[in-house]
Amino acid sequence: MTFQLFCDVCLDSLIDSVKLLPFLFLAFLFMEALEHHAGSKINKALASSGGAGPLIGALLGCVPQCGFSVFSANLYSGGVIGAGTLLAVFLSTSDEAIIIMLSNPDKKPEILKLIAVKVLIAVIFGYIITLFEKIKPAPKKHMEDLCKECGCEEEDGILKPAIHHTLKIFAFVTVIIFIVNLCVELLGTQRLSSILLSNSIFQPVIAAVLGLVPSCASSIILTQLYLEGAISFASVIAGLCTGAGAGLIVLFRENRNLRENLFITFTLYITAVISGVVIQLIGI
């Protein structure tokens, strides 16, 4: 690789990232406004959802970022919601993926498809788990305490958090776009796809492992690889189904039952793999 090629990739990656800035900021500003003005009501609706838990959890989970996955992990740890509802939220959560896709106008039609498929998967498997799960003990915490712990009652305004999230994700995106662009330049899209087992039922298996990394970086990487054509729609679905953001971290921190946590993580992974493989086989 020549120095000139390296500089060209750096410049192209920076230009691509800068183009995303306005979209990122507006998206995060909207999300902060939603959480600031309606977050508490939405979270309490999830806590009191009852038998409709998996359906409501799936719908709320598809909102960008991992806020609802974090809150649902708190609710599950407190015995307020069941494993089926928690799994539905985790499966439908896409962390930063939707925001990144919104920044690419030519991929906007794919967003509704991605959301619809993930919500369907979340509802189906959420209710399956609900049918077999045991009732958890009575809540160990009050709703007010859970709201305070998740930060949904903070009064810090919306502009500062929106700028903070925008800059954080911009830094992640810039690095990841650079890495992906460099790989494409050195290997070519076809070779990169081949390395990632393109058109193989094993690609969703690998993508689901990557999605388990509890960071927004995993959703950004998966989305960028999908936008570059290096992984399939089935694989990005599998990876984003396991990508519950910080939800898994909060689950392991707040819920003291390690066996439950491992079961939920294992179920999340197996569900994502099954969904990805089925989508790959039927060619959605």
Side-chain angles (χ1 to χ4, degrees):
M1 180 180 65
T2 65
F3 179 72
Q4 183 61 46
L5 176 60
F6 180 82
C7 291
D8 288 343
V9 172
C10 286
L11 181 60
D12 290 341
S13 301
L14 184 59
I15 291 174
D16 290 342
S17 301
V18 170
K19 288 178 181 178
L20 300 181
L21 265 178
F23 297 97
L24 291 176
F25 175 69
L26 290 175
F28 282 121
L29 190 64
F30 172 76
M31 290 308 305
E32 290 296 332
L34 179 63
E35 290 186 11
H36 189 78
H37 296 292
S40 180
K41 293 179 181 178
I42 295 174
N43 291 331
K44 288 178 181 179
L46 176 62
S48 60
S49 57
L55 175 60
I56 294 176
L59 294 174
L60 292 179
C62 67
V63 176
Q65 296 184 270
C66 60
F68 288 115
S69 69
V70 169
F71 190 78
S72 63
N74 263 317
L75 290 179
Y76 177 79
S77 302
V80 180
I81 63 173
T85 300
L86 176 67
L87 187 70
V89 174
F90 279 5
L91 285 169
S92 64
T93 297
S94 298
D95 210 354
E96 314 295 346
I98 293 175
I99 294 177
I100 300 300
M101 290 181 73
L102 279 171
S103 305
N104 293 265
D106 59 321
K107 288 294 181 179
K108 286 181 180 179
E110 295 287 311
I111 296 175
L112 291 178
K113 179 182 175 182
L114 183 143
I115 292 175
V117 170
K118 280 175 60 66
V119 167
L120 180 61
I121 292 169
V123 170
I124 291 173
F125 286 97
Y127 275 109
I128 289 174
I129 296 300
T130 298
L131 289 175
F132 294 99
E133 72 176 317
K134 295 180 180 179
I135 303 300
K136 282 179 68 68
K140 299 185 280 285
K141 301 176 183 178
H142 295 292
M143 269 299 302
E144 291 79 6
D145 297 328
L146 289 167
C147 284
K148 289 177 182 177
E149 288 179 12
C150 81
C152 61
E153 290 189 351
E154 293 180 0
E155 298 291 339
D156 293 333
I158 64 174
L159 185 59
K160 185 177 178 180
I163 294 174
H164 173 77
H165 283 304
T166 299
L167 294 178
K168 177 184 175 182
I169 299 304
F170 173 74
F172 270 117
V173 169
T174 302
V175 172
I176 291 169
I177 287 179
F178 168 75
I179 293 173
V180 173
N181 285 348
L182 188 62
C183 290
V184 170
E185 285 293 334
L186 294 177
L187 302 173
T189 303
Q190 294 299 324
R191 176 60 177 161
L192 181 59
S193 298
S194 177
I195 292 173
L196 295 172
L197 305 178
S198 178
N199 299 319
S200 166
I201 61 172
F202 295 107
Q203 192 181 74
V205 177
I206 298 172
V209 173
L210 179 58
L212 282 174
V213 177
S215 167
C216 61
S218 60
S219 64
I220 296 173
I221 291 172
L222 287 164
T223 306
Q224 202 59 41
L225 288 172
Y226 173 66
L227 293 175
E228 291 289 342
I231 63 174
S232 65
F233 178 75
S235 297
V236 78
I237 286 290
L240 293 179
C241 276
T242 56
L248 284 173
I249 295 178
V250 174
L251 177 66
F252 276 87
R253 187 187 68 192
E254 297 296 330
N255 189 43
R256 303 304 178 187
N257 192 324
L258 181 61
R259 187 175 180 179
E260 281 184 3
N261 298 340
L262 292 175
F263 170 76
I264 289 171
T265 304
F266 176 76
T267 304
L268 184 68
Y269 176 74
I270 293 300
T271 300
V273 169
I274 291 174
S275 302
V277 169
V278 169
I279 292 171
Q280 186 93 332
L281 289 175
I282 63 179
I284 294 180

